[in-house]
Amino acid sequence: MEPRTAPRPRRITARAAPVAAALLLVAGCSGVGVEGTPGAAGLRDPYFPKLGNGGYDVRHYALNIAYDPRTRRIEATADITAAATQNLSAFNLDLAGLTVRSAAVDGATASYRRAGKELTVRPREELGKGTVFRTRLVYAGVPETITDPDGSEEGWLPTADGALAVGEPTGSMAWFPGNHHPSDKATYTVTLSVPAGLKAVSNGRLVSERTANGRTTAVWNAPEPMASYLATVAIGAYRTTTGTVRAGKPADAPAVPVLSVIDPAAADAEADGLLARIPELLDWEAENFGPYPFSAAGAIVDRPGDLGYALETQTRPVFPRTAFDAPTLVHELAHQWYGNSVTPETWRDMWLNEGFATYAEWLYAEDFEDVPAQDSFTEAFDDDANWAFPPADPPEAENISDAPVYGRGAMVLHKVRQAVGDDAFFEILRGWPAKYRYANASTDDFTAYVEDVAGEDAQDDLDEVWDVWLYGDGKPDGP
Ligand code: TRP
Ligand code: ZN
């Protein structure tokens, strides 16, 4: 350590003095017992350290977005209800692009500042720990399409007749300011205004839809907690199909409405046939995974040919026509339990999403196509792409959607099945999303849960599953 008497560079002394004075001033004026400090600018995710923000916990997003497909601009308001988790002098939101026009906290104008993807809001008065406060941000502009570390596109994607918003892992900050880390889940109300003739769709249930003065306004409500990467908006000249499903809901609960939209350019007999299977597949998954966790279901089929991947957006997964087949549908619907209801604590826990969703495909092959999961396992084992790294530890952000996260993740689950037996395994498939319903969980939570269900007898086998299959480098000698 530097001795206290060492001469200090003048620059530091000059800066330190006003800061200290300002802190004293704040402490003197504020009614809060402990002086407030700014919330952290990131949550230190292992892959996206600046994603998300500290110091508060969002409860609800009320987003109001008007879209003009001709100019591709949005005019928007976000009302964000959050609880302070510390005494807060300022807090950050993640927002990429767009122009912020005004900020207010609890109705009082607040100052704000932008630096890269961080928007810092400073309320006029400090927010004491535990306070529930509402931030209103008025913003506008042409939302960005974001290119991910792995080269795929997300964020806001203009389409021939509208737009599509997909947000895994970081794209939702392209269309609304928020706490964009999967650990801060919240409920949503999304109000969309589009030119009459177009449909505007989001997560959850359609609350109202009216057309006046040449514009249609649709209000969507997602009443169960949702990670922001699962939020979606789809605008286009869609065809709509509707239905209902019970999906394991108790007899006294209302049936779940199923609402799907399909871009006519993406529609054909096969796509229509797949959409029609959603209730049947949700019923089948509910038998295996437990009651469907949400109060709405459906799908969005859009962007023929160019998105390249499907996404499990909550209640209403997105499919480009090119990635819309039965196993993909089974996969995205399985994410409603694994990923959406129980959500990864950080992006390192991604295999908990993709391993389970891939295993759902193996179960589908077992039940519908007479292909034992053991055969799917062997096929995955023989695929070199699955051995690049252990599923619980992708080397870089660009690897979180690579083959080992999916195929080797599913292999881990199959090894668990072998170690604990079918009865305990299917108990785990149902119990895991039940225990962490609407919450977050980590890989450690998962291994602890499995050990709990399996009991002492399986302990040695499970230790090996974790050491070799979940965390181990390289390919074991034999399956
Ligand atoms: N989660 C999607 C799926 O399997 C795939 C995906 C799309 C993805 N974008 C991603 C995975 C970004 C990780 C990161 O169904
Ligand atoms: Zn997936």
Side-chain angles (χ1 to χ4, degrees):
M1 274 229 137
E2 217 180 314
R4 266 209 300 189
T5 50
R8 287 159 157 247
R10 162 123 187 101
R11 194 168 54 84
I12 291 177
T13 320
R15 254 163 81 194
V19 170
L23 287 177
L24 275 175
L25 203 67
V26 168
C29 297
S30 131
V32 180
V34 180
E35 185 182 293
T37 51
L43 292 175
R44 302 178 177 207
D45 186 273
Y47 300 92
F48 304 96
K50 287 218 173 145
L51 205 57
N53 303 283
Y56 66 95
D57 182 1
V58 178
R59 304 272 174 87
H60 185 72
Y61 292 94
L63 309 176
N64 201 316
I65 298 172
Y67 185 54
D68 180 349
R70 206 173 35 81
T71 60
R72 298 184 166 178
R73 281 175 62 83
I74 62 169
E75 300 281 337
T77 302
D79 282 309
I80 304 171
T81 307
T85 55
Q86 65 179 63
N87 292 331
L88 269 184
S89 58
F91 57 91
N92 276 22
L93 297 152
D94 303 317
L95 180 67
L98 302 170
T99 302
V100 176
R101 298 228 168 105
S102 66
V105 174
D106 291 333
T109 303
S111 64
Y112 60 94
R113 177 164 53 74
R114 298 194 68 182
K117 291 167 182 162
E118 298 292 334
L119 164 64
T120 305
V121 176
R122 184 170 293 274
R124 223 179 271 174
E125 293 188 23
E126 291 194 355
L127 300 158
K129 181 175 178 175
T131 308
V132 174
F133 62 101
R134 181 193 275 220
T135 306
R136 166 166 289 199
L137 294 152
V138 179
Y139 62 103
V142 177
E144 293 177 3
T145 299
I146 293 175
T147 302
D148 286 339
D150 73 359
S152 57
E153 291 195 328
E154 58 158 341
W156 187 272
L157 303 120
T159 59
D161 55 1
L164 179 64
V166 288
E168 190 178 25
T170 70
S172 291
M173 66 172 78
W175 58 281
F176 66 97
N179 198 3
H180 288 298
H181 189 268
S183 59
D184 191 1
K185 298 168 76 163
T187 56
Y188 286 68
T189 303
V190 179
T191 302
L192 300 168
S193 159
V194 296
L198 297 183
K199 285 220 146 56
V201 179
S202 186
N203 314 83
R205 297 175 82 128
L206 182 61
V207 175
S208 67
E209 189 172 34
R210 11 175 240 116
T211 300
N213 305 319
R215 293 194 65 91
T216 297
T217 302
V219 181
W220 293 86
N221 180 240
E224 298 93 11
M226 176 164 81
S228 79
Y229 77 93
L230 298 166
T232 189
V233 164
I235 297 166
Y238 301 123
R239 205 148 56 63
T240 304
T241 69
T242 58
T244 59
V245 64
R246 296 219 58 85
K249 296 278 185 189
D252 58 345
V256 177
V258 182
L259 186 154
S260 299
V261 293
I262 185 163
D263 177 347
D268 57 28
E270 196 197 341
D272 286 347
L274 284 167
L275 286 179
R277 290 193 67 191
I278 290 174
E280 169 208 351
L281 293 173
L282 284 175
D283 279 335
W284 170 76
E285 293 194 343
E287 275 170 36
N288 287 297
F289 309 153
Y292 180 68
F294 303 120
S295 56
I300 295 162
V301 186
D302 200 358
R303 294 270 292 182
D306 46 10
L307 186 58
Y309 62 83
L311 189 67
E312 65 266 28
T313 41
Q314 192 148 306
T315 67
R316 203 158 280 115
V318 165
F319 302 88
R321 181 62 189 88
T322 46
F324 194 40
D325 49 25
T328 310
L329 181 56
V330 165
H331 179 114
E332 305 309 333
L333 295 178
H335 274 308
Q336 305 307 316
W337 285 260
Y338 309 109
N340 299 8
S341 182
V342 47
T343 302
E345 189 67 51
T346 77
W347 286 111
R348 178 176 281 151
D349 305 307
M350 186 61 177
W351 80 276
L352 289 170
N353 287 10
E354 302 306 344
F356 273 101
T358 303
Y359 204 80
E361 296 179 55
W362 296 4
L363 290 174
Y364 177 81
E366 198 159 75
D367 283 6
F368 289 81
E369 290 165 350
D370 251 357
V371 178
Q374 184 63 38
D375 292 7
S376 302
F377 173 88
T378 304
E379 197 181 312
F381 185 84
D382 290 339
D383 182 352
D384 285 344
N386 284 325
W387 297 102
F389 55 83
D393 196 18
E396 305 283 347
E398 66 187 12
N399 304 114
I400 62 168
S401 53
D402 284 358
V405 176
Y406 289 72
R408 198 172 154 187
M411 277 189 267
V412 169
L413 295 175
H414 196 68
K415 294 308 282 187
V416 169
R417 186 176 177 177
Q418 290 174 343
V420 305
D422 270 15
D423 284 354
F425 181 69
F426 282 90
E427 188 185 332
I428 288 163
L429 285 187
R430 297 172 69 91
W432 170 248
K435 174 162 182 181
Y436 289 96
R437 191 162 107 128
Y438 306 148
N440 292 88
S442 66
T443 300
D444 283 348
D445 292 327
F446 176 73
T447 53
Y449 175 74
V450 169
E451 290 175 11
D452 218 39
V453 172
E456 290 283 311
D457 290 353
Q459 193 58 56
D460 288 351
D461 288 347
L462 286 174
D463 281 343
E464 194 185 322
V465 176
W466 312 145
D467 288 352
V468 176
W469 297 84
L470 182 55
Y471 288 108
D473 277 314
K475 186 173 178 171
D477 289 338

